[in-house]
Amino acid sequence: MKKSLFILSTALLILTACSGEEEIKQSADQKEQSLAVDKGLLNVELTLPAEFFEDETPEEIEAAAKEKGVKEVKVNPDGSVYYKMSKSAHKKMMKEMEESIVSTVDNLVNGEDFKSFKKISYNKDFTEFDVTVDTASFENSFDAFGLMGLAYVSMFYSAFDGKSSDDIKTKVNLIDEKTGEQTESMVFPDVMEEDSKNGEADSEN
């Protein structure tokens, strides 16, 4: 396994230790849940999986949704959440998420926390990112945490854009700053699920 993936795996294990095993063990039912988006003439209706709302009460979910202009909010018995909003409210929400992704990219490249990131470019729907790094610095740091945050906001955007659960994927390509060559590629959430399983297996051993 490449060193950066090993670092990512280690980071995930640290997160697991901090958050507890239950937060990485999704039930079979949760994994089967899909995102439904019905874009009508005037309104947009969404049903989001329960895992998007872990540790939130129905009251908190409703209050947050109302603040964003959602007209109807319903927490279903399985924990999934139904939204109904105007097309204009949905468009505004998507714009805010787009700005969040751009802000995340800016913080990774220009912030003080992640020294190895030099440049990040992305495609139109924010599903693929080319991340130029100082490879030596990246492999000897925990900057892989930054990639996790980037993948999270990307997948959240895809979910609200109407992609099904199976199609919510974010690809991150690492580019070496000196050579300009791609050193490796990761697909989220697949890499996180694989490393979580490996972590659980190591714990059992």
Side-chain angles (χ1 to χ4, degrees):
M1 179 181 293
K2 294 182 180 179
K3 191 171 182 180
S4 56
L5 279 180
F6 170 77
I7 292 172
L8 178 58
S9 177
T10 303
L12 286 167
L13 290 176
I14 292 173
L15 285 180
T16 301
C18 294
S19 60
E21 292 183 0
E22 291 302 320
E23 292 188 7
I24 63 169
K25 291 182 179 179
Q26 295 178 337
S27 67
D29 288 341
Q30 284 179 317
K31 288 183 179 180
E32 290 299 321
Q33 287 177 343
S34 61
L35 172 76
V37 179
D38 180 15
K39 298 179 181 179
L41 293 175
L42 299 176
N43 297 307
V44 175
E45 299 180 56
L46 308 119
T47 301
L48 304 175
E51 52 264 35
F52 279 11
F53 304 94
E54 291 180 354
D55 301 324
E56 293 186 55
T57 66
E59 292 76 17
E60 290 171 337
I61 293 171
E62 181 174 356
K66 293 292 186 181
E67 286 181 2
K68 293 185 177 296
V70 178
K71 293 191 292 187
E72 295 181 29
V73 187
K74 178 183 178 183
V75 180
N76 299 315
D78 63 357
S80 62
V81 178
Y82 166 81
Y83 285 168
K84 183 177 182 180
M85 68 191 81
S86 66
K87 279 197 168 183
S88 60
H90 180 257
K91 184 177 180 180
K92 181 181 178 181
M93 189 179 293
M94 295 299 295
K95 181 64 176 178
E96 289 175 350
M97 281 189 266
E98 179 179 329
E99 292 171 351
S100 177
I101 294 174
V102 174
S103 176
T104 298
V105 168
D106 181 66
N107 288 335
L108 289 175
V109 175
N110 300 312
E112 296 296 324
D113 295 327
F114 303 98
K115 301 295 187 180
S116 67
F117 300 120
K118 303 303 178 183
K119 178 183 176 182
I120 300 177
S121 58
Y122 41 83
N123 62 355
K124 186 176 180 179
D125 61 355
F126 303 107
T127 57
E128 184 169 355
F129 296 81
D130 288 337
V131 183
T132 301
V133 299
D134 179 327
T135 301
S137 175
F138 180 81
E139 292 184 343
N140 290 285
S141 71
F142 287 101
D143 284 3
F145 274 121
L147 299 183
M148 293 170 60
L150 181 63
Y152 179 81
V153 292
S154 166
M155 291 187 290
F156 204 70
Y157 180 92
S158 293
F160 275 84
D161 197 33
K163 291 183 173 65
S164 68
S165 293
D166 291 339
D167 293 331
I168 297 176
K169 305 284 185 182
T170 296
K171 186 176 182 181
V172 177
N173 305 309
L174 292 182
I175 311 296
D176 181 77
E177 181 187 23
K178 293 181 179 179
T179 66
E181 296 180 355
Q182 179 177 315
T183 57
E184 61 185 283
S185 182
M186 309 175 200
V187 177
F188 294 84
D190 297 353
V191 66
M192 299 171 68
E193 293 172 355
E194 290 170 4
D195 286 338
S196 294
K197 291 177 182 178
N198 292 336
E200 290 176 4
D202 290 342
S203 298
E204 292 177 358
N205 292 334

PDB file of all heavy atoms in Angstrom, residues 108-120:
ATOM      1  N   LEU A 108      -7.466  24.788   1.942  1.00  0.00           N
ATOM      2  CA  LEU A 108      -6.458  23.729   1.836  1.00  0.00           C
ATOM      3  C   LEU A 108      -5.166  24.251   1.223  1.00  0.00           C
ATOM      4  O   LEU A 108      -4.067  23.894   1.657  1.00  0.00           O
ATOM      5  CB  LEU A 108      -7.000  22.568   0.998  1.00  0.00           C
ATOM      6  CG  LEU A 108      -8.093  21.705   1.627  1.00  0.00           C
ATOM      7  CD1 LEU A 108      -8.592  20.672   0.618  1.00  0.00           C
ATOM      8  CD2 LEU A 108      -7.587  20.997   2.881  1.00  0.00           C
ATOM      9  N   VAL A 109      -5.305  25.099   0.208  1.00  0.00           N
ATOM     10  CA  VAL A 109      -4.126  25.581  -0.509  1.00  0.00           C
ATOM     11  C   VAL A 109      -3.459  26.762   0.201  1.00  0.00           C
ATOM     12  O   VAL A 109      -2.220  26.837   0.286  1.00  0.00           O
ATOM     13  CB  VAL A 109      -4.506  25.988  -1.953  1.00  0.00           C
ATOM     14  CG1 VAL A 109      -3.301  26.606  -2.670  1.00  0.00           C
ATOM     15  CG2 VAL A 109      -5.016  24.780  -2.725  1.00  0.00           C
ATOM     16  N   ASN A 110      -4.262  27.663   0.730  1.00  0.00           N
ATOM     17  CA  ASN A 110      -3.717  28.906   1.273  1.00  0.00           C
ATOM     18  C   ASN A 110      -3.744  29.005   2.799  1.00  0.00           C
ATOM     19  O   ASN A 110      -3.206  29.960   3.364  1.00  0.00           O
ATOM     20  CB  ASN A 110      -4.476  30.107   0.689  1.00  0.00           C
ATOM     21  CG  ASN A 110      -4.364  30.170  -0.822  1.00  0.00           C
ATOM     22  OD1 ASN A 110      -3.268  30.056  -1.372  1.00  0.00           O
ATOM     23  ND2 ASN A 110      -5.498  30.336  -1.498  1.00  0.00           N
ATOM     24  N   GLY A 111      -4.371  28.030   3.459  1.00  0.00           N
ATOM     25  CA  GLY A 111      -4.435  28.061   4.914  1.00  0.00           C
ATOM     26  C   GLY A 111      -3.132  27.617   5.562  1.00  0.00           C
ATOM     27  O   GLY A 111      -2.167  27.239   4.892  1.00  0.00           O
ATOM     28  N   GLU A 112      -3.128  27.614   6.886  1.00  0.00           N
ATOM     29  CA  GLU A 112      -1.935  27.271   7.651  1.00  0.00           C
ATOM     30  C   GLU A 112      -1.902  25.813   8.087  1.00  0.00           C
ATOM     31  O   GLU A 112      -0.869  25.335   8.566  1.00  0.00           O
ATOM     32  CB  GLU A 112      -1.857  28.163   8.898  1.00  0.00           C
ATOM     33  CG  GLU A 112      -1.685  29.653   8.598  1.00  0.00           C
ATOM     34  CD  GLU A 112      -0.370  29.942   7.905  1.00  0.00           C
ATOM     35  OE1 GLU A 112       0.634  29.283   8.222  1.00  0.00           O
ATOM     36  OE2 GLU A 112      -0.345  30.852   7.041  1.00  0.00           O
ATOM     37  N   ASP A 113      -3.002  25.095   7.941  1.00  0.00           N
ATOM     38  CA  ASP A 113      -3.083  23.754   8.508  1.00  0.00           C
ATOM     39  C   ASP A 113      -2.497  22.657   7.624  1.00  0.00           C
ATOM     40  O   ASP A 113      -2.040  21.633   8.136  1.00  0.00           O
ATOM     41  CB  ASP A 113      -4.548  23.407   8.820  1.00  0.00           C
ATOM     42  CG  ASP A 113      -5.126  24.308   9.900  1.00  0.00           C
ATOM     43  OD1 ASP A 113      -4.354  24.711  10.792  1.00  0.00           O
ATOM     44  OD2 ASP A 113      -6.326  24.615   9.845  1.00  0.00           O
ATOM     45  N   PHE A 114      -2.538  22.839   6.312  1.00  0.00           N
ATOM     46  CA  PHE A 114      -2.109  21.775   5.399  1.00  0.00           C
ATOM     47  C   PHE A 114      -1.001  22.312   4.488  1.00  0.00           C
ATOM     48  O   PHE A 114      -1.260  22.954   3.484  1.00  0.00           O
ATOM     49  CB  PHE A 114      -3.299  21.269   4.579  1.00  0.00           C
ATOM     50  CG  PHE A 114      -4.434  20.770   5.433  1.00  0.00           C
ATOM     51  CD1 PHE A 114      -5.521  21.582   5.708  1.00  0.00           C
ATOM     52  CD2 PHE A 114      -4.406  19.491   5.969  1.00  0.00           C
ATOM     53  CE1 PHE A 114      -6.562  21.134   6.499  1.00  0.00           C
ATOM     54  CE2 PHE A 114      -5.443  19.033   6.761  1.00  0.00           C
ATOM     55  CZ  PHE A 114      -6.521  19.850   7.046  1.00  0.00           C
ATOM     56  N   LYS A 115       0.227  22.026   4.840  1.00  0.00           N
ATOM     57  CA  LYS A 115       1.375  22.619   4.164  1.00  0.00           C
ATOM     58  C   LYS A 115       1.685  21.986   2.808  1.00  0.00           C
ATOM     59  O   LYS A 115       2.329  22.614   1.968  1.00  0.00           O
ATOM     60  CB  LYS A 115       2.609  22.498   5.063  1.00  0.00           C
ATOM     61  CG  LYS A 115       2.466  23.170   6.424  1.00  0.00           C
ATOM     62  CD  LYS A 115       2.327  24.667   6.292  1.00  0.00           C
ATOM     63  CE  LYS A 115       2.351  25.332   7.663  1.00  0.00           C
ATOM     64  NZ  LYS A 115       2.211  26.804   7.568  1.00  0.00           N
ATOM     65  N   SER A 116       1.249  20.748   2.589  1.00  0.00           N
ATOM     66  CA  SER A 116       1.686  20.032   1.385  1.00  0.00           C
ATOM     67  C   SER A 116       0.876  20.381   0.140  1.00  0.00           C
ATOM     68  O   SER A 116       1.333  20.166  -0.976  1.00  0.00           O
ATOM     69  CB  SER A 116       1.628  18.519   1.614  1.00  0.00           C
ATOM     70  OG  SER A 116       0.286  18.084   1.760  1.00  0.00           O
ATOM     71  N   PHE A 117      -0.331  20.944   0.305  1.00  0.00           N
ATOM     72  CA  PHE A 117      -1.185  21.238  -0.837  1.00  0.00           C
ATOM     73  C   PHE A 117      -0.718  22.513  -1.544  1.00  0.00           C
ATOM     74  O   PHE A 117      -0.598  23.573  -0.926  1.00  0.00           O
ATOM     75  CB  PHE A 117      -2.641  21.380  -0.416  1.00  0.00           C
ATOM     76  CG  PHE A 117      -3.207  20.143   0.217  1.00  0.00           C
ATOM     77  CD1 PHE A 117      -3.701  20.169   1.520  1.00  0.00           C
ATOM     78  CD2 PHE A 117      -3.240  18.944  -0.472  1.00  0.00           C
ATOM     79  CE1 PHE A 117      -4.218  19.037   2.100  1.00  0.00           C
ATOM     80  CE2 PHE A 117      -3.755  17.800   0.105  1.00  0.00           C
ATOM     81  CZ  PHE A 117      -4.242  17.846   1.397  1.00  0.00           C
ATOM     82  N   LYS A 118      -0.468  22.413  -2.847  1.00  0.00           N
ATOM     83  CA  LYS A 118       0.029  23.543  -3.622  1.00  0.00           C
ATOM     84  C   LYS A 118      -0.998  24.101  -4.608  1.00  0.00           C
ATOM     85  O   LYS A 118      -1.043  25.286  -4.868  1.00  0.00           O
ATOM     86  CB  LYS A 118       1.290  23.123  -4.386  1.00  0.00           C
ATOM     87  CG  LYS A 118       2.396  22.589  -3.486  1.00  0.00           C
ATOM     88  CD  LYS A 118       2.796  23.601  -2.411  1.00  0.00           C
ATOM     89  CE  LYS A 118       3.864  23.067  -1.471  1.00  0.00           C
ATOM     90  NZ  LYS A 118       4.208  24.027  -0.391  1.00  0.00           N
ATOM     91  N   LYS A 119      -1.823  23.247  -5.167  1.00  0.00           N
ATOM     92  CA  LYS A 119      -2.829  23.674  -6.138  1.00  0.00           C
ATOM     93  C   LYS A 119      -3.915  22.610  -6.214  1.00  0.00           C
ATOM     94  O   LYS A 119      -3.625  21.417  -6.134  1.00  0.00           O
ATOM     95  CB  LYS A 119      -2.189  23.863  -7.519  1.00  0.00           C
ATOM     96  CG  LYS A 119      -3.158  24.269  -8.617  1.00  0.00           C
ATOM     97  CD  LYS A 119      -2.439  24.369  -9.963  1.00  0.00           C
ATOM     98  CE  LYS A 119      -3.409  24.691 -11.087  1.00  0.00           C
ATOM     99  NZ  LYS A 119      -2.724  24.739 -12.404  1.00  0.00           N
ATOM    100  N   ILE A 120      -5.168  23.054  -6.350  1.00  0.00           N
ATOM    101  CA  ILE A 120      -6.290  22.121  -6.492  1.00  0.00           C
ATOM    102  C   ILE A 120      -7.201  22.613  -7.610  1.00  0.00           C
ATOM    103  O   ILE A 120      -7.674  23.754  -7.587  1.00  0.00           O
ATOM    104  CB  ILE A 120      -7.099  21.983  -5.192  1.00  0.00           C
ATOM    105  CG1 ILE A 120      -6.208  21.461  -4.051  1.00  0.00           C
ATOM    106  CG2 ILE A 120      -8.292  21.050  -5.398  1.00  0.00           C
ATOM    107  CD1 ILE A 120      -6.919  21.363  -2.715  1.00  0.00           C
TER     108      ILE A 120
END
